[in-house]
Amino acid sequence: MNKLVINAAATVVLGLGFIGGGAWACEGVAGARCEVSPAPQVEQVKRQAPKELSDQVKKGLKWLAQTQMENGGWGQGEESANMGSDGKYKAVANVADSCMALMAFVRSGNTAGSGEYKQNVNRGIAFICAQVEESDEKSLFITALRGTRTQSKLGQYIDTFLTAQVLAEVKNQMPDETASKRVNDALAKVIKKIELNQKEDGKWVNDGWAPTLAQAACAKALNTAVVNRAKVNEQVRERAEKYAQADFAVSQAGGGGGGAGAVDSSSVSGGVHIAKTYAGSGDAGVALYSSSAQLATISASAKANEAKKQDLQKIASAPTTQPEARKAAEAQLARFAENEAILGKAQDAIVAKLDDKNFVQGFGSNGGEEFLSYLNIGESLFHKGGADWEKWDKSMTTNVNSVQNADGSWSGHHCITGRTFCTAAALNVLTIDRAPLPAVAKADATK
């Protein structure tokens, strides 16, 4: 059993991420010092058995496996002719597309040690880790490749954010100690680069066509890492959470969100003054992108918060807790409760728009940005459960299946049109009911 030692005179313990352990609970709690025995495994939220993999999903996975390159990565694949691409990066392995493909394999039940496509997963992880290992220590880049379609549309650091997401998801699934260490070391390096480069307002980037989706990808990655017991600076995670909350508040007030216009949003969260000046067009004027990004960040933060809540409650309620530590724990719990309330509002706002075809269509035709937005929305509604999730899943399954190519791939018709990204993102949409769940039991997500 873990031991909690609360000491008002002790230094603050920061950046520790052990679920179920004292260090996990004490992170960010002023005046708390924790002595920790090895953290126990934690229960997952109960869920119904996922759907059987459909023939459409199996065809898509087969296509992805066949297009993996010798070095373990994936290229962009074929793009729409209207994008004017010269095919320069069609068969050049890039990190972002490789990450999307890896997530499709992992979400469908494959790991580096098991499953029909375990070799594809192993090779893909090795490719990504090698890219991280060759990168510098401080910049937000993890790849020397520049000018890919995904970078131009989602921002130049999308490779970094998706890498963090993938490594966080597979870190506890590696087949041996050597592979685990490589993944954990790579993940720690990427997280540190992300932490070093976050801006004070919670943003990382504002370049590309729809950087709001990249911002959400980064926040999702950090929160996934926290749930899977990786070390993440709590202030960095909180700033991203507050940024998404403020963005949601602006959009609800008619400011557009995602970077539309110049809007000052104050007192958005728990009396904390947040002033935001939006420069550029973070969602390219497409409400689907910013709405899904806000929801994804707030929802992912709620999952990580839930993983920390129980230990913070113990600190707050223990009779031996010193006043300073109790106050800090209570403040964190209040923040968690507020984010949960905002999540409910964000989910309700999305659900209210789902019958609006113009909203769901996004830019007006299928692109990688649409598939990614559908994934963001679907993951949050799945964790919410109930009729809203069931309606969304049925509608998206029908829509996504209807545009699959005969060879098993999916294509985009604007912006991110490469078959690799679109195929992988579509597969992730179709397997949302296999997405990672919070690592601490709460209400049954399937109800």
Side-chain angles (χ1 to χ4, degrees):
M1 181 65 72
N2 294 336
K3 297 185 294 181
L4 298 182
V5 179
I6 309 301
N7 185 340
T11 56
V12 178
V13 180
L14 293 174
L16 299 177
F18 298 87
I19 292 178
W24 170 276
C26 290
E27 179 188 353
V29 178
R33 178 173 60 83
C34 299
E35 296 178 2
V36 196
S37 58
Q41 293 296 318
V42 293
E43 294 183 0
Q44 295 288 328
V45 172
K46 294 180 180 179
R47 71 193 301 172
Q48 293 176 350
K51 297 176 294 186
E52 293 291 328
L53 295 181
S54 66
D55 289 340
Q56 287 85 354
V57 169
K58 292 177 181 177
K59 286 179 63 178
L61 293 171
K62 183 177 180 180
W63 185 89
L64 279 180
Q66 292 172 342
T67 56
Q68 188 175 22
M69 303 175 68
E70 286 297 321
N71 65 0
W74 279 264
Q76 293 178 175
E78 181 183 355
E79 291 195 87
S80 294
N82 64 359
M83 293 306 297
S85 173
D86 59 5
K88 179 180 179 180
Y89 292 122
K90 178 181 179 180
V92 177
N94 73 81
V95 175
D97 286 346
S98 299
C99 286
M100 290 301 295
L102 267 174
M103 281 194 285
F105 286 117
V106 171
R107 297 287 180 88
S108 62
N110 298 276
T111 72
S114 64
E116 180 180 358
Y117 295 106
K118 66 180 181 181
Q119 293 302 324
N120 301 90
V121 173
N122 262 307
R123 292 169 54 215
I125 292 173
F127 168 75
I128 290 172
C129 285
Q131 295 284 303
V132 174
E133 290 158 359
E134 293 172 7
S135 69
D136 65 87
E137 297 291 334
K138 293 185 177 181
S139 82
L140 205 43
F141 288 109
I142 60 154
T143 176
L145 188 64
R146 304 286 188 271
T148 67
R149 180 70 66 192
T150 307
Q151 290 170 354
S152 69
K153 297 303 177 182
L154 298 184
Q156 60 185 327
Y157 304 118
I158 187 60
D159 307 85
T160 304
F161 304 152
L162 291 178
T163 292
Q165 175 77 21
V166 168
L167 295 178
E169 288 196 13
V170 305
K171 71 179 295 292
N172 298 327
Q173 300 177 351
M174 302 308 293
D176 56 62
E177 186 176 342
T178 299
S180 293
K181 184 179 186 306
R182 189 181 191 189
V183 166
N184 286 328
D185 287 349
L187 176 60
K189 182 175 181 178
V190 177
I191 289 174
K192 180 57 64 177
K193 288 159 76 74
I194 288 173
E195 291 173 345
L196 287 171
N197 288 280
Q198 188 188 41
K199 300 176 183 178
E200 285 298 318
D201 65 358
K203 286 190 298 186
W204 281 277
V205 293
N206 199 34
D207 67 313
W209 189 68
T212 187
L213 292 170
Q215 174 77 15
C218 189
K220 284 172 64 176
L222 292 180
N223 283 294
T224 300
V226 166
V227 169
N228 286 329
R229 294 183 287 161
K231 293 168 62 174
V232 177
N233 184 297
E234 183 67 10
Q235 291 180 334
V236 171
R237 196 175 72 85
E238 183 177 358
R239 282 196 292 263
E241 178 183 294
K242 298 299 185 187
Y243 181 85
Q245 292 173 354
D247 206 11
F248 172 67
V250 169
S251 66
Q252 291 302 102
V263 183
D264 179 71
S265 174
S266 301
S267 300
V268 174
S269 180
V272 177
H273 179 82
I274 298 177
K276 296 174 59 186
T277 300
Y278 294 89
S281 181
D283 63 1
V286 181
L288 175 69
Y289 303 165
S290 53
S291 295
S292 77
Q294 295 156 10
L295 181 62
T297 299
I298 296 167
S299 184
S301 191
K303 297 172 202 172
N305 293 347
E306 185 67 28
K308 293 189 168 192
K309 186 165 66 174
Q310 186 176 12
D311 283 337
L312 283 168
Q313 288 172 333
K314 291 178 180 178
I315 291 176
S317 61
T320 55
T321 299
Q322 296 297 317
E324 183 183 0
R326 189 188 313 280
K327 183 178 179 180
E330 289 174 345
Q332 290 245 40
L333 290 168
R335 170 194 146 207
F336 293 176
E338 182 180 19
N339 186 73
E340 191 74 26
I342 294 172
L343 172 59
K345 294 177 182 178
Q347 289 172 329
D348 289 345
I350 282 282
V351 169
K353 299 175 183 177
L354 296 185
D355 288 329
D356 181 349
K357 292 184 178 179
N358 290 329
F359 172 78
V360 175
Q361 286 178 349
F363 192 68
S365 60
N366 287 325
E369 295 86 347
E370 275 68 33
F371 291 128
L372 194 55
S373 297
Y374 299 153
L375 177 62
N376 286 339
I377 294 170
E379 286 178 341
S380 183
L381 293 183
F382 170 64
H383 293 301
K384 178 186 179 189
D388 292 334
W389 154 247
E390 292 173 2
K391 179 179 178 180
W392 171 258
D393 183 44
K394 182 178 180 180
S395 174
M396 278 297 107
T397 298
T398 299
N399 290 341
V400 172
N401 282 343
S402 70
V403 294
Q404 187 178 27
N405 298 318
D407 64 0
S409 68
W410 277 265
S411 302
H413 304 114
H414 75 88
C415 293
I416 301 179
T417 65
R419 288 204 184 195
T420 299
F421 190 100
C422 290
T423 299
L427 288 170
N428 280 312
V429 171
L430 293 174
T431 55
I432 284 174
D433 61 337
R434 296 167 178 264
L437 282 167
V440 176
K442 55 183 291 189
D444 190 336
T446 62
K447 290 183 179 179

